[in-house]
Amino acid sequence: MPSDLHMHTSFSDGTLSPEELVAAAKEVGLSYMAITDHDTIDGVSQLYEDGHYPSRGLRLIPGIEFSAHHPVHDIHILGYNIDIYHRELADKLTEITESRWTRFTAMVAKLQGLGYQLKESEVLAVADTSRAISRSHIARVLVKKNFFPSVREAFAVLLEKGKPAYVPHYRPEAAEIVSLIKKAGGLPVLAHPKLVQNEDLVEYLCRDIGIEGLEVFYPQHDEADVVRYLHLAEKYHLQITGGSDFHGFTSRHPTELGVFTIDDSYAEKLYRPL
Ligand code: AMP
Ligand code: MN
Ligand code: MN
Ligand code: MN
């Protein structure tokens, strides 16, 4: 049976609500799933509070995805089985999501300055229930308004680091994120190492900051990447994870749920029954 340990809901930059995502995951026959929204656990806690957690026939693993500070590279760190009511974690997430809010208004102003007529309210309409306003919400508005044919192209021209509309938001240091995840009882995992785009940095992150898992299986990893990351996981005694990074709309991630999955044996090791 297949599992997927990396998925987003409408509480960050995904399109499906947590309930819809759970229903879709059941539909395609997943046995384990993890919700890993950017900088928020609200999707996970909503499932808890509505009594949908865990769901029959499908086992849910609580997760989150952090972005770490780095001047050049994109470093994302997943946290599994965090205590969603942990005080220090909650305070940090508030700080980060507030900074995302300020940054989104700055990016809209920059885009207006570049001649792209879009309004804050249009981004907020797309962001809907999101607690973490993202560049991908902005990209979706730019596509909707026909400035770009795809989200990818909006990123490539305007939104990627170093492009004209890019504005950073507050991202803690990688080591601080790892320590916070551990304090909240969770397992810190280096996400999509290929997207870091620097193998020396990946090795450093696996070795020196307390990371305990590596996302070996990921849509952009080819066979050689998987072999290399399996070796790295073995070398540094890291748990092996993987997932689709499903967002529910066409970007650099697969659009369909259940197309990219991993073997249950990896997910099983992370599952903590309530
Ligand atoms: P943010 O966390 O607000 O900086 O936005 C980053 C999000 O945008 C990621 O989580 C991805 O979902 C998406 N993203 C980042 N880079 C790209 C890209 N080159 N093409 C499409 N989507 C991207
Ligand atoms: Mn995203
Ligand atoms: Mn990521
Ligand atoms: Mn992700």
Side-chain angles (χ1 to χ4, degrees):
M1 288 280 278
S3 293
D4 190 339
L5 297 176
H6 191 152
M7 288 185 271
H8 295 270
T9 77
S10 49
F11 279 87
S12 64
D13 57 350
T15 54
L16 302 185
S17 71
E19 281 88 349
E20 288 167 341
L21 184 62
V22 166
K26 279 185 184 172
E27 189 76 18
V28 300
L30 293 187
S31 26
Y32 294 90
M33 68 176 279
I35 291 178
T36 52
D37 276 319
H38 300 285
D39 304 325
T40 179
I41 30 79
D42 287 358
V44 173
S45 42
Q46 190 190 64
L47 288 174
Y48 263 120
E49 280 153 21
D50 292 352
H52 290 300
Y53 188 106
S55 321
R56 225 182 312 129
L58 170 69
R59 288 169 169 168
L60 224 52
I61 296 163
I64 190 164
E65 182 173 17
F66 282 96
S67 308
H69 172 256
H70 193 280
V72 181
H73 297 287
D74 284 322
I75 301 169
H76 289 184
I77 296 170
L78 298 157
Y80 292 105
N81 293 312
I82 26 123
D83 167 11
I84 60 172
Y85 300 110
H86 192 268
R87 188 71 253 162
E88 194 182 331
L89 176 70
D91 289 345
K92 184 58 78 178
L93 295 178
T94 304
E95 193 180 344
I96 296 171
T97 47
E98 278 173 2
S99 160
R100 279 184 170 279
W101 187 278
T102 316
R103 175 257 209 153
F104 124 75
T105 59
M107 284 187 73
V108 169
K110 264 197 165 181
L111 286 162
Q112 288 167 347
L114 290 163
Y116 296 91
Q117 295 306 318
L118 87 170
K119 298 198 272 293
E120 287 182 9
S121 60
E122 292 171 310
V123 179
L124 292 177
V126 165
D128 192 28
T129 54
S130 178
R131 304 285 200 275
I133 313 285
S134 163
R135 279 181 288 162
S136 48
H137 295 119
I138 297 175
R140 280 158 64 193
V141 174
L142 290 169
V143 172
K144 210 167 153 181
K145 301 193 73 166
N146 294 315
F147 290 122
F148 294 94
S150 70
V151 162
R152 280 182 89 108
E153 281 169 78
F155 268 90
V157 175
L158 291 174
L159 305 175
E160 276 171 11
K161 252 181 204 172
K163 300 296 175 186
Y166 178 75
V167 176
H169 64 283
Y170 166 56
R171 288 156 298 154
E173 298 299 324
E176 185 188 351
I177 294 167
V178 166
S179 125
L180 184 58
I181 290 170
K182 286 183 181 172
K183 272 192 254 179
L187 180 85
V189 173
L190 181 62
H192 42 64
K194 182 87 176 278
L195 299 188
V196 174
Q197 294 185 330
N198 180 320
E199 292 301 312
D200 291 336
L201 180 57
V202 167
E203 179 129 9
Y204 160 79
L205 292 167
C206 287
R207 186 185 58 224
D208 283 343
I209 65 163
I211 282 281
E212 295 178 341
L214 185 62
E215 193 174 46
V216 169
F217 303 105
Y218 191 73
Q220 275 90 331
H221 294 175
D222 63 25
E223 260 173 64
D225 296 325
V226 169
V227 168
R228 191 171 70 254
Y229 295 135
L230 281 172
H231 281 135
L232 205 56
E234 193 180 356
K235 184 172 175 189
Y236 295 113
H237 310 289
L238 307 174
Q239 288 217 40
I240 295 158
T241 76
S244 66
D245 214 350
F246 176 76
H247 281 69
F249 60 91
T250 307
S251 69
R252 61 183 178 189
H253 317 292
T255 315
E256 304 277 322
L257 199 64
V259 171
F260 184 93
T261 56
I262 63 165
D263 199 88
D264 282 359
S265 59
Y266 300 107
E268 226 168 347
K269 295 197 182 90
L270 295 190
Y271 182 67
R272 305 274 174 277
L274 286 181

